[in-house]
Every structure is written in structure tokens, then in C-alpha cells.
Amino acid sequence: MYTTEQYEGIIAETITINGTGGDAIHTYLARPMGPGPFPAVILAHHLPGWDELYREFTRKLAHHGYLAISPDLYCREAHGAPEDVAAAVRADGGVSDDQVIGDLDAAAKYIRSLPSSNGKVGIFGTCSGGRHVFLAGCRLDCFDAIVECWGGNVIMSDDQLTDKQPVSPNSYTKDLNAPLLGLFGDLDQSPTPEQVNQHEEELKAAGKDIEFHRYPEAGHGFFYFDRPIYHQSSAVDGWSKMLTFLGKKLA
Amino acid sequence: MCTMICERAEMEGSAKGRDGWFPLEMANVSYDHPFNAPWEYGLNIDFVNQSQGVGSRVAVELSPQSAKRLAETIMEALKRGEADPQIKVSVL
């Protein structure tokens, strides 16, 4: 816990890493100053894109002592205002799951390679990013903790599958490779409370190490203080649970 | 990307964006999270010209009820205009 007599300092900047297929992709890196060793967290951004909110989340995690890294998962699609880029990606059916998984894998390799890394890497995402981190936790074996926040479309019907999203993520449940913290709002429509229950039951049936929390007064995106859907008490408690979880799993 | 519901239609016309008028290429109509409107899901219309960059975009985010009223209003205006023999649509 931070106390007022402590020194603190972070460095935050845009860097470039090589993602899926060796493609250079922009990545926001925020890290505590000092030699470490520090645990790391990858942030998989949400539907509205690689935006200011996710940069703030990245800096917040660095402030709490993590090497925090957020790759631009839309970097290949276009550049411009984050909303304009996200609108173009939305019109194009999103980005492919394979490409996102490769980019997140590359981010994990990069951050683990830093001399200030303690070797432990967690991953956090909200909305479509929540879906991506669950999928990454199942398909990759490089994470020590997963924080899935209201992942939409973790459970997909056959008619929702596309060439870019060809498999419903919950099909991979048995392959989950790391402890998972799930945060959800009961007023959310994607995922619905019924889908959250199904997701939890499937994980329990597979014997996975999970911790689910539901907030009765919260809807979708309740961490988003720049939007009307922000829910203060749920967000404060959610951040607290997340930092406690990461502190235990990445020490 | 949470719903993945997006329909696209080629467009002829003009739209006025942040840098002035631009020729329209496409309308992207999605039922997904709006960026600004205060609800979880909405009917979002992006009038775009991708060949000029992603910034060539005029966006509206509507409630489903508003979107239906807009569609009905468009159809009504078209019906009246096309019924009038004095009105011809041609390039000037």
C-alpha cells in the first residue's frame, strides 16, 4: 500500500513490438522507475479501441507496481482518432481472434524479457478485451493470472461465429492455464447473468481456479468513469479485488 | 464487436464531417455499444469514405425507437418525393 513518505515514479511511453506475423504494432508501456523486479500485466483494450481510458488504466497499474503494457490491437487496421479507428474495425467485423492472440503472446514475451521483470505476467481486459483475455488464457500457456471483466461473447451461438471469430471461447474452457478473476454486472446484457452463471459452472466443472464477483447495481463497463455506465461503488470494489488478486498471483 | 451486428450499404451522396463536406462511399449500420450515447446498446450509423481515411466519418448513435422513427420518416419523405411528377433527381 502506498504511503505518503514513499518515493514514486513511473515512465510511460509508446513503443513498438512485433506482434502476429512479425508485424510492428504500437504498444503503450508504463512501468515503475527502478530496477525491480516487478510483476507485469498486459491490458487487452475494449471495443472502443486503444483509447485514453486504457492508457489511464495502464498508468494506474504501473502506479501500483506493475510493468503494464497495452498493445494497439487495431494498429494494422488504421490510425486516427480512437473512435474513428474502432468504428472502421467494427464495420469490418472486428479483428481476428488468431491475430489478437498472437499480439497478446508477443506482448507477454516482450514484457517478460525486460530485466526488471520478476517473470510473472497477468492479463486484464474489459468488454471485447474480457473475451480476448479469457481466450488467451486458454490458448496460451504464458500467463500467471487472468482478470476477465464482463467479457462479451465468451459464449457464442453458432450463428454468431465468423471467419474472424470461428470458435466460441467457452469451447476452450478445459484448456484454461491460469487462475481467473471474473468481474461482472448483473444489469449487463452481454454477458447476461445467465451467461455468467453458465461460464462459471463450466469453469468449475473443469476444475479451474476461479473467483467470480457479481455487482447487482452495475451494468456493462462499470469501470468506465468517462461514460454514464460508470458505477462508483462497484468500480472501487472491483479495482480493489483485482489488485488483491494480482498481488497474490504475481508475487 | 461485442454484438458483431453490422450491415453495410454503398452510398451516393455527401456528408459533412469535421473537415467539411466529403463524398459518401458507405453507410455502416451497427447494433452495438455506442461511443457516446448513454445506453449499453444502440443503433449506430457511420457515414464514411474509407478511401479518405477513417476520419471521414459522420456518426449518429440512436436508440432503437429513434432509429425506427428515422427509417419510417425517410420512407415517408421518399414516398412523397417520388410521387410528385414535378420532382426529378438528376445530377446538376
Side-chain angles (χ1 to χ4, degrees), chain A residues 47-48 74 78-79 83-84 86-91 93-94 127 153 165 188-190 220 227, chain B residues 1-4 6 8 18 28 30 32-36 38 40-41 44 46 50 54-55 57:
Chain A
L47 160 74
Y74 299 166
H79 287 296
E83 288 184 2
D84 291 338
V89 170
R90 178 172 66 191
C127 182
N153 280 354
Q165 292 90 29
D188 202 335
Q189 299 174 51
S190 179
H220 194 81
R227 292 164 191 267
Chain B
M1 274 130 290
C2 273
T3 67
M4 304 302 299
C6 186
R8 312 183 77 176
R18 71 189 68 169
N28 299 323
S30 64
D32 212 325
H33 304 310
F35 291 105
N36 185 263
E40 189 176 334
Y41 291 98
N44 313 303
D46 291 317
Q50 195 87 359
V54 293
R57 178 172 80 105

Coordinates of all heavy atoms in Angstrom, one line a residue, chain A residues 47-48 74 78-79 83-84 86-91 93-94 127 153 165 188-190 220 227, chain B residues 1-4 6 8 18 28 30 32-36 38 40-41 44 46 50 54-55 57:
Chain A
L47 N -13.8 -2.7 -27.0 CA -14.3 -2.3 -28.3 C -14.1 -0.9 -28.7 O -13.7 -0.7 -29.9 CB -15.9 -2.6 -28.2 CG -16.7 -1.9 -29.3 CD1 -16.5 -2.5 -30.6 CD2 -18.2 -1.9 -28.9
P48 N -14.2 0.1 -27.8 CA -13.9 1.5 -28.3 C -12.5 1.8 -28.6 O -12.1 2.9 -29.0 CB -14.4 2.3 -27.2 CG -15.4 1.5 -26.4 CD -14.8 0.1 -26.5
Y74 N -5.7 -2.8 -32.8 CA -6.3 -2.3 -34.1 C -5.2 -1.6 -35.0 O -5.5 -0.9 -35.9 CB -7.4 -1.3 -33.9 CG -8.6 -1.8 -33.1 CD1 -9.5 -0.9 -32.6 CD2 -8.8 -3.2 -32.9 CE1 -10.7 -1.4 -31.9 CE2 -9.9 -3.6 -32.2 CZ -10.8 -2.7 -31.7 OH -11.9 -3.2 -31.0
A78 N -6.0 0.8 -39.0 CA -5.9 2.2 -39.4 C -5.3 3.0 -38.2 O -5.2 2.5 -37.1 CB -7.4 2.7 -39.7
H79 N -5.1 4.3 -38.5 CA -4.7 5.2 -37.4 C -5.5 6.5 -37.6 O -6.0 6.9 -38.7 CB -3.2 5.6 -37.5 CG -2.3 4.5 -37.1 ND1 -2.3 4.0 -35.8 CD2 -1.4 3.7 -37.8 CE1 -1.5 3.0 -35.7 NE2 -0.9 2.8 -36.9
E83 N -11.9 6.5 -31.7 CA -13.3 6.2 -32.1 C -13.5 5.9 -33.6 O -14.2 5.0 -34.0 CB -14.3 7.3 -31.6 CG -14.5 7.4 -30.2 CD -15.5 8.5 -29.8 OE1 -16.0 9.1 -30.7 OE2 -15.7 8.6 -28.6
D84 N -12.8 6.7 -34.4 CA -12.9 6.5 -35.8 C -12.2 5.2 -36.2 O -12.7 4.5 -37.1 CB -12.2 7.7 -36.6 CG -12.9 9.0 -36.4 OD1 -14.1 9.0 -36.1 OD2 -12.3 10.1 -36.6
A86 N -11.9 2.6 -34.3 CA -12.8 1.5 -33.7 C -14.0 1.3 -34.6 O -14.5 0.2 -34.8 CB -13.2 1.8 -32.3
A87 N -14.6 2.5 -35.1 CA -15.8 2.4 -36.0 C -15.4 1.6 -37.3 O -16.2 0.8 -37.8 CB -16.3 3.8 -36.3
A88 N -14.2 1.9 -37.8 CA -13.8 1.1 -39.0 C -13.6 -0.3 -38.7 O -14.0 -1.2 -39.6 CB -12.5 1.8 -39.5
V89 N -13.1 -0.7 -37.6 CA -12.9 -2.1 -37.2 C -14.2 -2.8 -37.0 O -14.5 -3.9 -37.5 CB -12.0 -2.2 -35.9 CG1 -12.0 -3.6 -35.4 CG2 -10.6 -1.7 -36.2
R90 N -15.1 -2.0 -36.4 CA -16.5 -2.6 -36.2 C -17.2 -2.9 -37.5 O -17.8 -3.9 -37.6 CB -17.3 -1.6 -35.4 CG -18.8 -1.9 -35.1 CD -19.4 -1.0 -34.2 NE -19.6 0.4 -34.7 CZ -20.0 1.4 -34.0 NH1 -20.2 1.3 -32.7 NH2 -20.1 2.6 -34.6
A91 N -17.0 -2.0 -38.4 CA -17.7 -2.2 -39.7 C -17.1 -3.4 -40.5 O -17.7 -4.0 -41.3 CB -17.6 -0.9 -40.6
G93 N -16.1 -6.1 -39.1 CA -16.4 -7.4 -38.4 C -15.4 -7.7 -37.3 O -15.2 -8.8 -36.9
G94 N -14.7 -6.7 -36.8 CA -13.7 -6.9 -35.8 C -12.4 -7.3 -36.3 O -12.1 -7.4 -37.5
C127 N -14.9 -5.9 -21.7 CA -15.7 -6.0 -22.8 C -15.2 -7.0 -23.9 O -14.9 -8.1 -23.5 CB -15.9 -4.5 -23.4 SG -16.9 -4.3 -24.8
N153 N -19.6 -12.1 -25.4 CA -19.4 -13.1 -26.4 C -18.3 -14.2 -26.0 O -17.7 -14.7 -26.9 CB -19.1 -12.5 -27.8 CG -20.3 -12.0 -28.5 OD1 -21.4 -12.2 -28.0 ND2 -20.1 -11.4 -29.7
Q165 N -13.9 -14.8 -35.9 CA -14.2 -15.4 -34.6 C -14.9 -16.8 -34.8 O -16.1 -16.9 -34.7 CB -15.1 -14.5 -33.8 CG -14.5 -13.2 -33.4 CD -14.7 -12.1 -34.4 OE1 -15.7 -12.1 -35.1 NE2 -13.8 -11.1 -34.4
D188 N -25.9 -6.2 -16.8 CA -25.2 -6.3 -18.2 C -26.1 -7.1 -19.1 O -26.8 -8.1 -18.7 CB -23.9 -7.0 -18.0 CG -22.9 -6.7 -19.1 OD1 -23.4 -6.4 -20.3 OD2 -21.7 -6.7 -18.9
Q189 N -26.1 -6.8 -20.4 CA -26.8 -7.6 -21.4 C -25.8 -8.5 -22.2 O -26.3 -9.3 -22.9 CB -27.5 -6.7 -22.3 CG -28.6 -5.8 -21.7 CD -29.2 -4.8 -22.7 OE1 -29.6 -5.2 -23.7 NE2 -29.2 -3.6 -22.3
S190 N -24.6 -8.2 -22.1 CA -23.6 -9.0 -22.8 C -22.3 -9.0 -22.0 O -21.5 -8.1 -22.2 CB -23.4 -8.5 -24.2 OG -22.4 -9.3 -24.9
H220 N -22.9 -3.0 -18.0 CA -21.7 -3.2 -18.8 C -20.7 -2.0 -18.6 O -21.1 -0.9 -18.6 CB -22.1 -3.4 -20.2 CG -21.0 -3.9 -21.1 ND1 -20.8 -5.2 -21.2 CD2 -20.2 -3.3 -22.0 CE1 -19.8 -5.4 -22.1 NE2 -19.4 -4.3 -22.6
R227 N -17.9 7.5 -18.9 CA -19.2 7.2 -19.5 C -20.3 7.1 -18.5 O -20.0 6.8 -17.3 CB -19.1 5.8 -20.2 CG -18.2 5.8 -21.5 CD -17.9 4.5 -21.9 NE -16.8 4.6 -22.9 CZ -17.0 4.7 -24.2 NH1 -18.2 4.6 -24.7 NH2 -16.0 4.8 -25.1
Chain B
M1 N -18.1 -4.8 -31.7 CA -17.5 -6.1 -31.7 C -18.1 -7.0 -30.6 O -17.9 -8.2 -30.6 CB -16.0 -6.1 -31.6 CG -15.4 -6.0 -32.9 SD -14.1 -4.7 -32.8 CE -15.0 -3.3 -32.7
C2 N -18.9 -6.4 -29.7 CA -19.5 -7.3 -28.8 C -20.7 -8.0 -29.4 O -20.9 -9.2 -29.1 CB -19.9 -6.5 -27.5 SG -18.5 -6.4 -26.4
T3 N -21.5 -7.3 -30.2 CA -22.6 -8.0 -30.8 C -22.2 -8.5 -32.2 O -22.8 -9.5 -32.7 CB -23.8 -7.0 -31.0 OG1 -23.4 -6.1 -32.0 CG2 -24.2 -6.4 -29.7
M4 N -21.3 -7.9 -32.8 CA -20.9 -8.2 -34.2 C -22.0 -8.0 -35.2 O -21.9 -8.4 -36.3 CB -20.4 -9.7 -34.3 CG -19.3 -10.1 -33.4 SD -17.8 -9.0 -33.6 CE -17.4 -9.4 -35.3
C6 N -23.4 -5.8 -37.8 CA -23.2 -4.6 -38.6 C -23.6 -4.9 -40.1 O -23.2 -5.9 -40.6 CB -21.7 -4.2 -38.6 SG -21.3 -2.7 -39.4
R8 N -23.8 -3.1 -44.0 CA -23.1 -2.1 -44.8 C -23.9 -1.8 -46.1 O -24.4 -2.8 -46.7 CB -21.7 -2.5 -45.1 CG -20.9 -3.0 -43.9 CD -19.5 -3.3 -44.2 NE -18.7 -2.1 -44.3 CZ -17.4 -2.1 -44.5 NH1 -16.7 -3.2 -44.7 NH2 -16.7 -1.0 -44.6
R18 N -15.8 16.7 -39.9 CA -15.1 17.7 -39.2 C -14.3 18.6 -40.1 O -14.0 19.8 -39.7 CB -14.2 17.0 -38.2 CG -13.0 16.3 -38.8 CD -12.2 15.5 -37.8 NE -13.0 14.3 -37.4 CZ -12.6 13.3 -36.7 NH1 -11.3 13.3 -36.3 NH2 -13.3 12.3 -36.3
N28 N -22.3 2.4 -42.7 CA -22.2 1.2 -41.8 C -23.2 1.4 -40.7 O -23.2 2.3 -39.9 CB -20.8 1.2 -41.2 CG -19.7 1.0 -42.3 OD1 -20.0 0.4 -43.3 ND2 -18.6 1.7 -42.1
S30 N -24.7 -0.4 -37.3 CA -24.4 -1.4 -36.4 C -25.4 -1.3 -35.2 O -25.9 -0.3 -34.9 CB -23.0 -1.3 -35.8 OG -22.8 -0.1 -35.1
D32 N -24.8 -2.0 -31.6 CA -23.6 -2.4 -30.8 C -23.4 -1.3 -29.7 O -24.3 -0.3 -29.7 CB -22.4 -2.6 -31.6 CG -21.4 -3.6 -31.1 OD1 -21.3 -3.7 -29.8 OD2 -20.8 -4.3 -31.8
H33 N -22.3 -1.3 -29.0 CA -22.1 -0.3 -28.0 C -21.9 1.1 -28.7 O -21.1 1.2 -29.6 CB -20.8 -0.5 -27.2 CG -20.8 -1.9 -26.5 ND1 -21.8 -2.3 -25.7 CD2 -19.9 -2.9 -26.5 CE1 -21.5 -3.5 -25.3 NE2 -20.3 -3.9 -25.7
P34 N -22.7 2.1 -28.3 CA -22.3 3.4 -28.8 C -21.1 4.0 -28.1 O -20.7 3.5 -27.1 CB -23.6 4.3 -28.4 CG -24.3 3.5 -27.4 CD -23.8 2.1 -27.4
F35 N -20.4 5.0 -28.8 CA -19.3 5.6 -28.1 C -19.7 6.7 -27.1 O -19.1 6.9 -26.1 CB -18.4 6.2 -29.2 CG -17.7 5.3 -30.1 CD1 -18.1 5.1 -31.4 CD2 -16.6 4.5 -29.6 CE1 -17.4 4.1 -32.2 CE2 -15.9 3.6 -30.4 CZ -16.4 3.4 -31.7
N36 N -20.8 7.3 -27.4 CA -21.2 8.5 -26.6 C -22.6 8.4 -26.0 O -22.8 8.8 -24.9 CB -21.1 9.7 -27.5 CG -21.4 11.0 -26.7 OD1 -22.5 11.5 -26.7 ND2 -20.4 11.5 -26.0
P38 N -25.9 7.4 -24.1 CA -25.9 6.9 -22.7 C -26.6 5.6 -22.5 O -27.4 5.4 -21.6 CB -26.5 8.0 -21.9 CG -27.5 8.6 -22.8 CD -26.9 8.5 -24.2
E40 N -26.3 1.0 -23.1 CA -25.4 -0.1 -23.4 C -25.3 -0.5 -24.9 O -24.3 -0.7 -25.4 CB -25.8 -1.3 -22.6 CG -24.8 -2.4 -22.6 CD -25.2 -3.6 -21.7 OE1 -25.9 -3.4 -20.7 OE2 -24.7 -4.7 -22.0
Y41 N -26.5 -0.5 -25.5 CA -26.5 -0.8 -27.0 C -27.3 0.3 -27.7 O -28.3 0.8 -27.1 CB -27.1 -2.2 -27.2 CG -26.2 -3.3 -26.7 CD1 -26.4 -3.9 -25.5 CD2 -25.1 -3.7 -27.5 CE1 -25.6 -4.8 -25.0 CE2 -24.3 -4.6 -27.0 CZ -24.5 -5.2 -25.8 OH -23.6 -6.2 -25.3
N44 N -26.2 2.4 -34.4 CA -25.2 3.4 -34.7 C -25.0 3.4 -36.3 O -24.9 2.4 -36.9 CB -23.9 2.9 -34.1 CG -24.0 2.6 -32.7 OD1 -24.5 3.4 -31.9 ND2 -23.7 1.4 -32.3
D46 N -22.7 5.1 -39.3 CA -21.5 5.8 -39.6 C -21.5 6.0 -41.1 O -21.5 5.0 -41.9 CB -20.2 5.0 -39.3 CG -20.0 4.8 -37.8 OD1 -20.1 5.9 -37.1 OD2 -19.6 3.8 -37.4
Q50 N -14.0 5.6 -46.6 CA -12.8 5.0 -46.0 C -11.6 5.3 -46.9 O -10.4 5.4 -46.4 CB -13.0 3.5 -46.0 CG -12.0 2.7 -45.2 CD -12.3 2.6 -43.7 OE1 -13.4 3.1 -43.3 NE2 -11.5 2.0 -42.9
V54 N -10.0 7.1 -42.0 CA -11.1 6.8 -41.0 C -11.7 8.0 -40.4 O -12.8 8.0 -39.8 CB -10.6 5.9 -39.9 CG1 -10.2 4.5 -40.4 CG2 -9.4 6.5 -39.1
G55 N -11.1 9.2 -40.5 CA -11.6 10.4 -40.0 C -12.8 11.0 -40.9 O -13.5 11.9 -40.4
R57 N -15.9 10.6 -41.4 CA -16.9 9.8 -40.8 C -17.9 10.8 -40.2 O -17.5 11.7 -39.5 CB -16.4 8.9 -39.7 CG -17.4 8.0 -39.0 CD -16.8 7.0 -38.1 NE -16.3 7.5 -36.8 CZ -17.0 7.4 -35.7 NH1 -18.1 6.6 -35.6 NH2 -16.5 7.9 -34.6

